Structure formats: C-alpha cells, structure tokens
Amino acid sequence: MFNDKERFKASFLQRLEQSSGVSFENSTKRDHYQALGMMVREHVSTNWIASNEESRKGEHKEVYYLSIEFLLGRLLVSSLINLGVKDMVQQGLEELGIDLRELEKEEADAGLGNGGLGRLAACFLDSMASLKLSGYGHGIRYKHGLFEQKIIDGYQVELPEQWLRNGNVWEVRKPDLAIEVPFWGDVQWIDKSGKLTYVHEHAETVLAVPFDMPVIGYDTDRVNTLRLWGAEPAKHFPPHKDFMQYKRDTEQISEYLYPNDTSNDGKILRLKQQYFLVRASLMSIIRDYKKNHDHLYHFNEYVAIHINDTHPALTIPELMRILIDEEGMRWEEAWSIVTNTISYTNHTILSEALEKWSVELFKPLFPRIFMIIEEINKRFCKELWEQYPGDWDRIEQMAIVAHGYVKMAHLSIVGSHSVNGVAKLHTEILKMREMKNFYGFYPDRFNNKTNGITHRRWLVQANPELNSAISNAIGPDWVYRTEELKKLSSYANDSSYQQQINEIKLKKKQELARIIHDRNNLKIDENSIFDVQIKRLHAYKRQLLNLLHIMYLYNQMKENSSYKPYPRTFIFGAKAAPGYDYAKKIIKLVHSVAKVVNNDPVTKDYIKVVFLENYNVSLAEKIIPATNVSEQISTASKEASGTGNMKFMMNGAITLGTQDGANVEIADLVGPENIFIFGLKADQVMQYEKHGGYHSHDYYHNDRRIKKVVDQLTSGFFRDSFYDFETISDSLLMENDQYFLLKDFHAYVKAQENVADAYSDRDRWLQMSIHNIAQSGFFSSDRTVSQYAKDIWNIQPQQ
Ligand SMILES: *Cc1c(COP(=O)(O)O)cnc(C)c1O
C-alpha cells in the first residue's frame, strides 16, 4: 500500500471510494483524512498483531505506564513520519490535487491532558515504541478532553471539547476485554478453605471497556498499544437504583478530563476516575500475565508498572488486594512483589498540588482498599518507630493516613522501589526539602530523570525545513541518536549555514504571522523579535512579569520620544483552570495591554502583543519553530522541569529564563553566553519563604518604573476593565508578592535589554541559535526513556 507512490495513489483512491461511498470528485477533506487514516491503521495491523503476540508469549519484561493524562495531539503525520512514508504520501496526494497539510487539519487534536505532565506521557509512548521497548500506556478515554478556550471581550470562556465528534480512526473498541470496576458497598470476610479472606460486597459496578490505539515507533516493526478505558453501564446494575441515574453516574466517569491541574475539586468523581483507571489496568495486565504464568510469585520479574504522578497511586493497594484476597498470598510476600513492581514519578512540589483525600470521602467509596491502606500505614509507622523511637513529630509528618486524610505522595513513596524527580534541581529539592524525611529513610529510592520531548514530533515533524538543514549538514543519523546534533556546533560560525538557519526561521515566522493574521486579524512585523510565552496560566509561571515588562516598555516610549526599542512581537498562549480567577484576570490583562500598545501610534510599530486562543499541541507545533525568544520565567524552585523550554531550544530559540527546572540544565549545556539567565535562585527563594525578609512594598516605593506599572493596574489606565485588576495589584502589594515578581523585575528588564542587544547583532544571535540546537539532543525523550528502562524498569529493547 505504501511501497511506492503509484501503488499508494491507487490504493488511496480505492479506499476513498470504499470508505466514503462517494466518487473522488465529490469527496471532502474529511473523507480524505478518513481514508488515509484507515490505510495507516491497516498497514500497521500486521506488525501490531505480531508485537502483541510477542508480548503474549510472556518471555520478556514489559512496562506499563499508567497516567491519568495523555496529551497526544494529532497522530496522522507523526505516524507517516515514523513509518518513513511521509514524503512519498505527500507527493502522491499532491499529484491527486490534495494538500497533506490541509488534510492533517481534519484530525481532532486529542487533548486528553492539561499540559506538561500529559504531554510527557505522550512523548514517552513515542520513545518507548521507537526504542523497541515493550511499553504500554494505560489511561482514560475521556469523551471530552481539555476544554476549548474562546476569548470573548478579552475574557476566557470554556466550551466542551468534542474530539470524538467524527469518530477516532486510530482506536479499536474491545468489548470482550471489558473489566468490572466496583465502588461503594461493604467488606465481608469469608472462610476460604480454612483461610480468612475479605470480599467486597454490595458494590455498584461499572464496566471499563478498552479502546486500543496503536503506538507506531520510528523505523521499527514494533507497534505498542495505548489502552484507554471508557466507562459503560455493567450488565448487572444495582437493583435499588434508577437505571437512567445509574447510567449517568457511570458514563460520567469517562466524560470529562479534570481541567484543574493544581488543586482538587469534584472530588468523588475524580477519585472514581483514579480507581477506575487503576482497577481496569491491573486486572487486564494480570489477565494477560496469567496466560503464561501459573501464579504471581514472579510478577515483578516480568512486569514493571510506572505511575505518572500520584493519580494512579491506588495501584499500590489494589495490587496488594489482588495478591492477598484473590491469590491468597501472605502480606509480606505481596508487599515485596508490589514494591518491586511499582515506580513513581513526582511532578511537583507545590504543596497545594500534592494530592490528599479525606478519609470520610475515601473510605465508603473503596472500603477494602481503605483497609489495605490503613494496614500499609500501620506497618510503615511501626518501622518508623523502630528507626526513630519517640520521634512523634517525624512519624506524624510521614504517615500515609493522618488527621483524617490519605496522602497520596506518601503512599506512592512507601509502596514503590523508585521515586524520581523530573530535573536535577527538582530532585535535589525533593531530597533536601519537600521529601527530606523520606529521603532520610529511603536514601536509595530517590533518583533523577530529567524530562525530555520527542524530537520526531517537535523537530522532524513541526520543522521539516530545519530537519533538512540539519541532515544536510551532519547526515541523517542524528534522528536515531540525538547526541549527534552536537556536530552542528562546528557550523555555528559558518556564515552560509547561519544564513540558512536565518531563512528557515524567517519562513516559519511568516507562516505564524499568517496564522495570527487569520485568527486575530492582526498584522505583525515578521522582522520583529518573536518573544513567546506559551504554557498553562499559573501565578508561579509569572506571565504577569512578562506583562509588567511590556507595560514598562510602553511607558518608556511614551515618556521619551527618542526611545525606540528593537521591534518585538510578544506572543502569549495559555489556558486558565476554569475556577482559577486570578489566572483568568491575567488573560484579561494580556488583552487589555494588547489593546493599548497595539493601537497607540507611538508604540504600535515597535511593540505588538498577541494572544493566541486555545493553546494546544497542534498550535504549539506552529508557534515553536517561529520563536526567537523562549520565555521560561517561573519563580525559581517552582517549575519542576518544564518541557516547553526543550521544544524551543531544539528549534533554535534562545531561552530567557530563571534558574529553575530544566533551564538550569539547558544553561549548563549551552554555556552562559548562549542563554539569558536572570533573577533569584531557588535557594534564595526558599530562604525568603522560610525566614521572611522580602517586602514587596520596598520595591514598589523605591523603583519608579515598578510603581508606575503597578499603579496603572488600578488607575483607570485600562479603561475598559481596570477594576478587574485590583486583585492582581493586591497580590503584588497587600499579599507581599508571593512569587517575587517585583524582586526580579529589575533583573528581568536588564536581561530583556541584553536580548535586544544580542538580537541586533545577527551573526551573534544565529551563532547562539545553532549552539542551542546542537546541545538539544540531551533533551530527547529517547534519552529519558532509556534511563527509565535501564535504571528503573530494568527492561531491554526487543527485536
Ligand atoms: C509542551 C507543552 C506543555 C508544557 O509546557 P511548559 O512550558 O513546560 O509548561 C503544555 N501544553 C502543551 C500543549 C505543550 O505542548
């Protein structure tokens, strides 16, 4: 089908007629997308079956990656690239008068995640398959992914996202493999041949139905599986309940992705989602395992289970339940298998984001699971007591269940053999501060795995021009071994190569300018500096610092008519959690600032502010290749790693950032001359947090630039909406500026001046840009996943 262009064209036309039931002349773009998608799926099916059969033999260890989020984006073009047929398909379609880039847009962007954590899971799937590892993703098939963002009058409005509206060509529903998931009810004990065994009775049961999607690796026959579970009514529904009510309660479980990635709301539903994922995944893993093994005593030698943050942490008590209640093991035997099977990644140290559930809520929903957690806690506290006799404070602090709450991070650490942070700095903070007591108790358990991104999507696919320029210079092998990108360094001072890189960047900027024109009806200067901050909206990410700087630039120009800054286009993209009012006000502020600076005759040719609505993976693929300056300006110590920073670096943008998360590692790799680092360091921030000593009022009163921009928030400067910004002003003054914006303001302004100076020296800038691309190979998720495979999962590549 994909062997050569002529055969491809013939198959495509044939498939198109079969699947759409109309002639080529009358077919639509959607018909074309559908036909090509089905061809890809059919093409990989043989390898998919072979990979599954290989797994079913049960000879090799496999890893299951459990995640409540998978932020996949579109899959068609990445599949074509991984199959090595994209160029041929593109030409074939072109000869039929079809533009692959248009057809691509017919695919819904699968947004089953909030941001970085979900996107990491998607990059890991791509890397596991490309490295020929048998690695399976398990997640939830949310009917509605992350909300679609509309901006009305500068305000965010959330609409339900409908990625399944036109079906999903990649998935296969497997009703025969459905699993029952029980909630509520009570626990009885029965005498099972002389042994006391607990059973969960009178439960309300929900059916988890798997939808399997192929995960195609790059240039390999390996096809892994992403299994997403959908909730459906079970055959035996509770007799006392109205069926319609039961159906609604059931289907709700896989209805919506939880849109808030910091705090907890909609608690029961959220908890149900977590157990639903865990129970269905474990039961299906064990069902497969038992096809080749008589018992589970060697389970951890063949199966590794990784939990992406604490959302799937119930895997720990659930696996205990299966081993004890169903397999009849003793506690100690079961515990050893559980802890040797499970590993855990911590993604945040923000205390409001550490999951905890009230016992009141938890216990009735999972009566048996709660008993097991209590027993785990009891035994753990006993161990602590033996090591630290009399140290009640420490034991109270470390307990899994305390003061009426179940602490999921504590459960995850105690119940696994590996706990990893996602960047060097983050792991150090975990060990030395947040999880200090746990590190003291389990020093060998903690390790670092700096995040990564798949260079196949974020460079080969998103920036084909740069991909060619790299391969033309250093050969194509870097796609298999991204460390080889380092060879590009020798081209950094080559002026003809610099020129090539310059032209590619300009082309990508022109493409983005067109998108901005189409979407926002705004003309932007493609020769201006494209200065970009795209990420979820959070106070700690400090989009506000960026805005205060823009307001300062505006004020400078208004006050001093001879001041002409290097022209800049400031581009923002961000979704705010629906209940996060502060974040929503910042979105409004972006629009208010834009309205002022984009329309003032003094500034409009020098400063433009653009907000691109509905930031998601597909939009990121368009923005990142066009970026000159990558804004990574979180308060030091708050951003665990960041992965946006890596995507930008790989596309030749220069980071303007704090010493936070993976920025620190980017700086180490490229050297201080190829990055703009500013502001407080993590240990300084933590010192202030602990001992005080920072007074934002001092900065407000002593720096007239700061006073002016902060006053403008509430002075009526933004005529349409000034009262909106009182809470923002209060956060900076009344609440003493928790994220140190005013403290870092001066350093940020200086760093921005250095950016402008560097940019006006074209050779220097292009040299910096090439050095960044050359050093970005370390941030391929292939490197990250290889480290997980070797150090945590203990699995080897197949074939
Ligand atoms: C990479 C990515 C993120 C993570 O960005 P950070 O800057 O690391 O927070 C979030 N959303 C989307 C759509 C992404 O592609």
Side-chain angles (χ1 to χ4, degrees):
M1 207 158 20
F2 290 105
N3 289 351
D4 65 67
K5 198 170 61 189
E6 292 313 316
R7 248 201 278 178
F8 162 70
K9 278 159 55 183
S11 311
F12 176 77
L13 291 173
Q14 189 186 13
R15 176 49 60 97
L16 182 63
E17 291 197 350
Q18 285 166 357
S19 66
S20 65
V22 294
S23 66
F24 178 60
E25 291 72 39
N26 293 319
S27 60
T28 63
K29 281 183 200 164
R30 185 174 307 148
D31 297 331
H32 301 162
Y33 165 73
Q34 200 70 20
L36 184 57
M38 285 165 69
M39 284 171 73
V40 170
R41 217 184 79 194
E42 197 181 305
H43 180 70
V44 301
S45 64
T46 316
N47 286 336
W48 198 10
I49 292 166
S51 296
N52 283 334
E53 275 172 4
E54 167 65 26
S55 299
R56 222 164 282 139
K57 283 193 226 145
E59 290 163 0
H60 308 285
K61 193 170 183 181
E62 324 203 292
V63 59
Y64 294 87
Y65 193 85
L66 268 54
S67 179
I68 204 91
E69 302 187 9
F70 284 92
L71 193 54
L72 299 169
R74 292 176 175 142
L75 298 174
L76 177 65
V77 175
S78 71
S79 302
L80 294 174
I81 288 174
N82 284 359
L83 293 171
V85 299
K86 186 206 153 200
D87 291 342
M88 183 273 283
V89 166
Q90 188 157 18
Q91 280 169 25
L93 290 173
E94 210 170 285
E95 290 170 18
L96 296 170
I98 298 169
D99 184 350
L100 177 62
R101 280 165 304 187
E102 285 298 312
L103 188 155
E104 181 187 2
K105 293 185 199 155
E106 291 298 314
E107 180 169 1
D109 184 290
L112 310 183
N114 277 293
L117 175 149
R119 185 54 230 172
L120 185 77
C123 285
F124 280 13
L125 291 179
D126 185 71
S127 285
M128 286 192 290
S130 300
L131 293 167
K132 306 182 172 61
L133 294 166
S134 357
Y136 300 88
H138 277 252
I140 296 178
R141 181 182 180 269
Y142 303 104
K143 199 165 157 196
H144 305 285
L146 185 60
F147 66 84
E148 194 182 315
Q149 179 191 54
K150 279 255 172 285
I151 301 295
I152 297 179
D153 235 1
Y155 295 98
Q156 168 176 297
V157 175
E158 301 101 30
L159 304 177
E161 186 277 343
Q162 304 221 52
W163 71 296
L164 294 171
R165 192 172 34 207
N166 300 317
N168 174 6
V169 278
W170 308 116
E171 70 184 13
V172 186
R173 182 171 180 268
K174 303 248 172 91
D176 293 348
L177 301 180
I179 304 270
E180 294 197 332
V181 180
F183 297 104
W184 313 108
D186 45 68
V187 178
Q188 308 282 339
W189 54 270
I190 54 165
D191 192 334
K192 201 162 149 187
S193 45
K195 222 169 164 182
L196 190 68
T197 303
Y198 290 97
V199 288
H200 186 180
E201 291 189 333
H202 310 113
E204 182 173 318
T205 301
V206 165
L207 203 62
V209 179
F211 290 73
D212 286 356
M213 293 166 77
V215 180
I216 301 165
Y218 182 78
D219 189 20
T220 162
D221 292 339
R222 180 96 218 154
V223 179
N224 286 336
T225 302
L226 169 60
R227 176 163 283 183
L228 298 177
W229 298 96
E232 297 180 13
K235 209 157 152 194
H236 304 287
F237 63 92
H240 56 277
K241 221 170 157 176
D242 171 53
F243 180 73
M244 286 314 287
Q245 184 61 41
Y246 164 70
K247 186 170 183 289
R248 269 194 298 275
D249 287 354
T250 298
E251 287 170 353
Q252 211 188 5
I253 294 175
S254 56
E255 193 91 0
Y256 287 98
L257 166 79
Y258 185 67
N260 194 337
D261 59 353
T262 45
S263 63
N264 298 304
D265 246 336
K267 291 190 191 321
I268 290 198
L269 181 58
R270 176 77 164 166
L271 255 183
K272 276 187 166 178
Q273 288 185 332
Q274 297 188 353
Y275 187 62
F276 175 78
L277 166 63
V278 160
R279 170 84 171 211
S281 303
L282 268 178
M283 295 302 271
S284 97
I285 293 166
I286 287 171
R287 178 176 55 200
D288 284 347
Y289 183 80
K290 283 193 154 179
K291 287 179 187 148
N292 301 295
H293 302 268
D294 299 331
H295 56 73
L296 293 174
Y297 284 95
H298 301 293
F299 188 64
N300 58 281
E301 291 165 31
Y302 295 92
V303 175
I305 299 179
H306 198 89
I307 58 176
N308 191 25
D309 213 322
T310 58
H311 321 117
L314 295 177
T315 305
I316 292 157
E318 174 64 15
L319 186 53
M320 285 299 284
R321 185 196 66 77
I322 295 170
L323 296 178
I324 293 171
D325 295 355
E326 296 187 12
E327 301 295 320
M329 285 189 198
R330 289 185 302 115
W331 182 278
E332 292 77 10
E333 290 167 339
W335 186 245
S336 157
I337 292 169
V338 167
T339 49
N340 282 303
T341 302
I342 295 169
S343 47
Y344 152 61
T345 298
N346 174 287
H347 282 270
T348 181
I349 53 163
L350 296 185
S351 53
E352 68 270 26
L354 289 176
E355 281 195 299
K356 56 178 192 189
W357 299 106
S358 91
V359 169
E360 233 174 294
L361 219 97
F362 193 101
K363 192 175 166 181
L365 199 50
F366 320 118
R368 177 62 183 139
I369 293 300
F370 183 71
M371 283 173 71
I372 293 171
I373 291 177
E374 277 195 307
E375 183 64 25
I376 296 172
N377 185 46
K378 202 179 91 189
R379 288 169 185 250
F380 174 58
C381 289
K382 184 162 169 280
E383 268 185 74
L384 289 175
W385 179 259
E386 280 156 15
Q387 178 130 353
Y388 313 106
D391 194 348
W392 287 110
D393 278 355
R394 183 191 299 260
I395 296 171
E396 184 184 333
Q397 251 197 44
M398 295 175 74
I400 298 166
V401 188
H403 306 294
Y405 284 94
V406 183
K407 297 182 178 171
M408 302 298 265
H410 297 191
L411 175 64
S412 304
I413 297 170
V414 174
S416 58
H417 62 90
S418 164
V419 178
N420 75 282
V422 289
K424 273 187 198 159
L425 175 67
H426 169 63
T427 303
E428 282 312 300
I429 294 174
L430 277 182
K431 295 199 305 198
M432 299 310 158
R433 293 210 166 224
E434 297 307 311
M435 301 294 170
K436 184 163 176 261
N437 289 339
F438 284 98
Y439 178 57
F441 193 64
Y442 300 122
D444 300 333
R445 219 165 261 198
F446 285 76
N447 63 92
N448 177 57
K449 297 286 169 283
T450 299
N451 279 168
I453 54 163
T454 168
H455 57 286
R456 290 169 288 272
R457 178 178 293 264
W458 296 107
L459 204 172
V460 177
Q461 179 183 340
N463 201 341
E465 297 84 353
L466 183 58
N467 172 42
S468 306
I470 295 170
S471 293
N472 289 341
I474 63 169
D477 284 356
W478 69 272
V479 183
Y480 296 89
R481 289 176 297 277
T482 53
E483 283 297 316
E484 294 198 4
L485 281 172
K486 284 190 182 143
K487 291 181 186 162
L488 268 188
S489 288
S490 58
Y491 292 83
N493 298 319
D494 175 332
S495 64
S496 90
Y497 200 70
Q498 289 178 353
Q499 212 35 51
Q500 274 186 58
I501 295 297
N502 193 31
E503 277 162 22
I504 291 166
K505 189 60 86 177
L506 183 63
K507 174 158 189 277
K508 302 316 272 184
K509 286 168 79 172
Q510 287 163 342
E511 289 174 12
L512 182 59
R514 184 174 305 276
I515 291 173
I516 292 172
H517 185 259
D518 292 348
R519 287 176 163 226
N520 293 27
N521 194 23
L522 195 68
K523 256 182 105 102
I524 61 172
D525 173 4
E526 61 204 33
N527 291 312
S528 64
I529 302 173
F530 280 23
D531 182 324
V532 176
Q533 189 171 21
I534 46 173
K535 47 184 73 248
R536 282 300 287 258
L537 218 145
H538 274 296
Y540 84 81
K541 292 180 185 272
R542 301 202 295 191
Q543 280 93 350
L544 179 57
L545 180 59
N546 190 344
L547 286 169
L548 294 178
H549 169 253
I550 297 169
M551 290 165 68
Y552 157 73
L553 278 184
Y554 172 85
N555 291 338
Q556 283 284 91
M557 288 194 76
K558 295 293 279 186
E559 283 167 18
N560 177 357
S561 59
S562 65
Y563 177 68
K564 304 280 183 233
Y566 200 102
R568 290 239 200 180
T569 303
F570 293 96
I571 297 168
F572 292 85
K575 288 179 181 174
Y580 190 178
D581 289 330
Y582 172 87
K584 291 182 150 181
K585 297 223 151 114
I586 301 289
I587 289 179
K588 176 64 183 170
L589 182 59
V590 177
H591 288 87
S592 295
V593 172
K595 199 164 168 182
V596 171
V597 306
N598 294 356
N599 296 308
D600 191 311
V602 175
T603 55
K604 69 185 179 52
D605 294 332
Y606 293 87
I607 316 172
K608 278 272 184 343
V609 177
V610 178
F611 187 94
L612 282 166
E613 146 185 291
N614 202 39
Y615 175 54
N616 61 11
V617 172
S618 322
L619 186 57
E621 289 167 13
K622 301 288 178 234
I623 298 172
I624 291 168
T627 297
N628 297 122
V629 180
S630 157
E631 298 265 1
Q632 307 299 336
I633 60 178
S634 54
T635 309
S637 80
K638 305 295 177 196
E639 187 76 88
S641 163
T643 48
N645 45 5
M646 302 168 185
K647 302 167 195 165
F648 284 109
M649 176 194 190
M650 208 172 257
N651 281 276
I654 314 299
T655 306
L656 166 56
T658 47
Q659 296 188 50
D660 201 15
N663 297 352
V664 177
E665 288 161 75
I666 294 177
D668 285 347
L669 282 164
V670 300
E673 66 283 13
N674 293 309
I675 190 166
F676 300 96
I677 292 289
F678 73 96
L680 287 174
K681 297 180 185 180
D683 54 356
Q684 295 174 308
V685 169
M686 292 187 292
Q687 278 298 311
Y688 280 124
E689 285 174 343
K690 206 164 162 189
H691 304 294
Y694 170 55
H695 306 288
S696 64
H697 270 276
D698 298 345
Y699 290 82
Y700 170 78
H701 288 297
N702 297 331
D703 187 332
R704 56 170 294 278
R705 303 168 301 178
I706 292 180
K707 184 164 190 310
K708 180 150 186 172
V709 293
V710 174
D711 286 347
Q712 282 170 330
L713 292 173
T714 52
S715 67
F717 175 74
F718 302 110
R719 248 167 279 144
D720 60 330
S721 53
F722 59 92
Y723 59 89
D724 272 337
F725 307 135
E726 222 155 79
T727 46
I728 297 177
S729 157
D730 284 352
S731 76
L732 295 172
L733 299 177
M734 315 279 273
E735 292 152 34
N736 200 32
D737 186 18
Q738 193 190 343
Y739 294 104
F740 302 92
L741 282 77
L742 304 190
K743 178 90 188 161
D744 275 347
F745 180 83
H746 175 72
Y748 183 58
V749 170
K750 281 279 158 230
Q752 281 286 23
E753 286 168 7
N754 293 337
V755 166
D757 287 347
Y759 195 84
S760 19
D761 179 349
R762 297 304 297 145
D763 292 354
R764 170 162 173 225
W765 187 269
L766 290 164
Q767 192 183 326
M768 291 174 81
S769 182
I770 295 167
H771 276 303
N772 270 269
I773 301 166
Q775 294 300 328
S776 69
F778 175 76
F779 296 108
S780 166
S781 48
D782 289 1
R783 186 268 312 153
T784 315
V785 166
S786 302
Q787 291 178 331
Y788 275 82
K790 179 165 167 291
D791 302 343
I792 302 178
W793 303 330
N794 190 25
I795 67 170
Q796 272 90 43
Q798 296 299 301
Q799 290 163 22

